[in-house]
Structures are given as C-alpha cells and as structure tokens.
Amino acid sequence: MDQQLAYFNRFYVKAIDFLANYSFQIIGALIIVTIGWFLSKYVFNVLIKFFHQHDFDPTLSKFTANGIRILIFGAMLVVAIGKLGISIAPFIAAVGAVFLTAGLAIQGSVANYAAGISLIITRPFKIGDTILINKVYGEVEEIRLAYTTLRTEDEELITVPNKNMIGEVIVNSFKYRIVESSVGISYNDDAEKAIDIIREVIEGLENISSETKAIIGIEKFGESAIEIGVRYWVPTRNYFKIQYEANMAIYKALREAKITIPYPQREIRMVSQN
C-alpha cells in the first residue's frame, strides 16, 4: 500500500511540474489549433462561395477548397507542435514515409485522381455529352475525381476509371449520336425519287436533330441493288428506338411508292458450245 502511494505521489509531483513548466505552451498550442480549425473552415466557405459565383466546376471547386483547408489546418498543427517544444523534423520525416508507402500501395487510385483533375481542367466533355471511349458508348451522367459514369439507353450505368481516358481517343458527339444505315433499291427504280421519300420520312420523325440535317444519297452500287446511305442524328437515350422506327417508316414509304427492295440475286448465263 505504501509503495502504491509512493508511486502516486511521484506521478502527482511530475504532473504538477509538467503543468507548471508547459502550461502556457499547452494553452498556446490549443489556441493555435483552434484558430487553425476555424480559419481553415472560413477559407473553405469563402472559396466555395467564390467558385460558385464564377461558375467553376463543382467537383474541382470542392477538391481545391478541401485541399487548401487541409493545408491551412496542417500548417497550424505543425506550428502548435513546435509551440510545445517538440522537434517537428522527425514528425515530418515519419509523415513523409507514411505518405510514400501509401502512395505506392494505392498508385492506381492516385492515377485515377490525377486523371480526374486533368479531365476537369481540360474539359474534353461535360455532363450530358455523349462520348465513345474504348468501345464504350454512353451519355455522361457524372464526372468524379476517380471515375466517370455513363448512362446507356438501356439504363445501364457504366463506370470508367479516369486513368483509362487519358491518352485515349475520345469521340464526343455532345447531345446526339449518329445513326448510319442503308437500304437497297432496284436498279430499275428511280434513285432520286427514293432519296426524296427517305428524306421526307426522316425529317418527319420526332426527336431528330434539327441542328444537323440528315445526309441521304447513293452510298454504293451493289451487285443486287443501289445502296442508299442514310445518316441522321438522334438523342443518345433514344438511339435504338428511333432507329427502328425510322427503318419501319422507310420500309412502308418505299412499298407505298412501289419502289422495290430487291433480294440478293445473281444472274447466271449458260453459254452453249455449239
């Protein structure tokens, strides 16, 4: 019992000595940390408001404001540690080693974030655009620092890591996607009449782009038919729906006009040796 009291008394004396010697440093460090916390929060709010007023990208704005907030609070924390009389050189070295190890472990994720920042700054596409990347087609629904999400007509959500977009060919068709098709007509029919009928059908459809006119003309001369090429722009979310409706409307219009869509055929001639 006496030994435990001796230990307690020794601890009490050391605690009193520590508080007597370092009380002002501890209070000063706490004040610095508190000031750093409120200052970083204030700067964060000011930056968010500034970015919002000047129409900056929301993702990049929040990332930048958060980064500056962490830097301010981290700097004040280092000052507070120095106020306590603790050498910050070993602390900085330890933090650097931790960040290096973490960076090597998550270098794939870091590459995604770096690519995300590059995409937000360069803006090769924006939300609502239709893009083709690595044979993946879809409407851009969300751009995050690590990945970009695309929405297809079938309501499929495609997640593309941002690092897979840097250095790749990106086809941006904005709000629309081009439909490329063709229909064959007989060589005995009037090609100009068929082109006019198809153009009338396409222009009569709903949701067809009015900014870019449809292109219709003779694509090639096939073995069994004259191939009429048809190119027009439709909203990405209705790509297949409008394409199928257009094909049916073209088929009905050509039949009503007595224009033949021939079967594939070959003409064989028998030559007698006599």
Side-chain angles (χ1 to χ4, degrees), residues 29-51:
L30 291 175
I31 292 174
I32 292 173
V33 171
T34 304
I35 293 174
W37 172 261
F38 285 105
L39 178 62
S40 62
K41 189 175 181 180
Y42 173 77
V43 171
F44 173 82
N45 292 330
V46 170
L47 288 175
I48 289 294
K49 185 177 180 180
F50 174 80
F51 291 144

Side-chain angles (χ1 to χ4, degrees), residues 28 47 178 215:
L47 288 175
I178 189 170
I215 301 175

